[in-house]
Amino acid sequence: NPVWTRTDFAALRTQVDRALPGTAREILGRVEKVLAALHEVQVALPGRPSAGQADAVADITEQLDGLLPPDFVTATGAAYLPDLARYLTAIVRRLERLPHAMAADTERMARVHAVQDAYAELLQALSSGRAAAPEVRDIGRMIEELRVSLWAQQLGTARPVSEQRIYRAIDAILD
């Protein structure tokens, strides 16, 4: 509700003053978990991948660039920071299995890339004049959840996800 009086403003300010330190500590704790997971990824990421691992490492590097822009805390939002930490943990699991399952990794990567290509087409269509829907950002999160389901099922997903669900979400925006 809008605050229109000096008394209401003072009350709101007192409320914010009380809540701010706890909220800041909570968000900082979430950021610490993200940074710890990122450190695990950096340790697991081979500096000089073998020829067979090069495509997977390039895919992971591109994924990291998308997940962690310079303003990742703001871009992600406090509510989604735990999901970001889980996405990074899923990358570590992928890297742990990569040397022993390169063919399976390549197949999974192809499935994700197909969905990403459809998402990129959606973004292109929206940038050429169509109004962006709030659900568009959600599709990006769905793709990250798909990655978790493919490479680190034991971590669980925030909701049921599949390639078909993602394609349906894209189609719903385009219709």
Side-chain angles (χ1 to χ4, degrees):
N1 292 333
V3 176
W4 297 108
T5 69
R6 186 175 297 235
T7 304
D8 288 345
F9 180 80
L12 180 60
R13 182 176 178 176
T14 300
Q15 180 183 354
V16 170
D17 284 347
R18 287 185 186 139
L20 187 60
T23 301
R25 275 192 301 279
E26 182 181 330
I27 292 170
L28 182 58
R30 292 175 185 180
V31 171
E32 287 174 336
K33 289 177 182 174
V34 168
L35 294 176
L38 175 60
H39 177 71
E40 288 183 41
V41 171
Q42 291 169 330
V43 168
L45 201 59
R48 300 176 80 178
S50 68
Q53 295 176 344
D55 286 343
V57 170
D59 180 61
I60 290 167
T61 301
E62 183 178 326
Q63 180 186 8
L64 288 171
D65 289 344
L67 289 174
L68 298 161
D71 65 342
F72 80 89
V73 176
T74 304
T76 301
Y80 292 104
L81 288 170
D83 291 333
L84 179 56
R86 189 167 41 82
Y87 301 157
L88 295 169
T89 301
I91 292 171
V92 173
R93 301 284 163 78
R94 178 182 179 185
L95 286 165
E96 290 169 351
R97 294 186 179 118
L98 183 60
H100 313 290
M102 284 193 261
D105 189 272
T106 300
E107 183 269 330
R108 291 173 182 148
M109 190 169 44
R111 292 169 58 188
V112 170
H113 286 180
V115 173
Q116 285 178 316
D117 290 346
Y119 182 53
E121 289 177 19
L122 169 67
L123 294 175
Q124 181 64 37
L126 294 175
S127 72
S128 64
R130 295 187 71 166
E135 296 83 14
V136 173
R137 178 177 273 188
D138 193 48
I139 294 171
R141 289 188 181 109
M142 290 174 73
I143 293 171
E144 292 305 323
E145 295 293 342
L146 178 64
R147 286 178 174 274
V148 171
S149 77
L150 293 173
W151 280 287
Q153 302 87 352
Q154 68 278 16
L155 295 177
T157 58
R159 61 185 164 192
V161 66
S162 68
E163 293 146 275
Q164 293 76 21
R165 286 177 191 258
I166 295 170
Y167 289 126
R168 282 195 301 267
I170 290 170
D171 289 343
I173 291 171
L174 289 173
D175 289 343

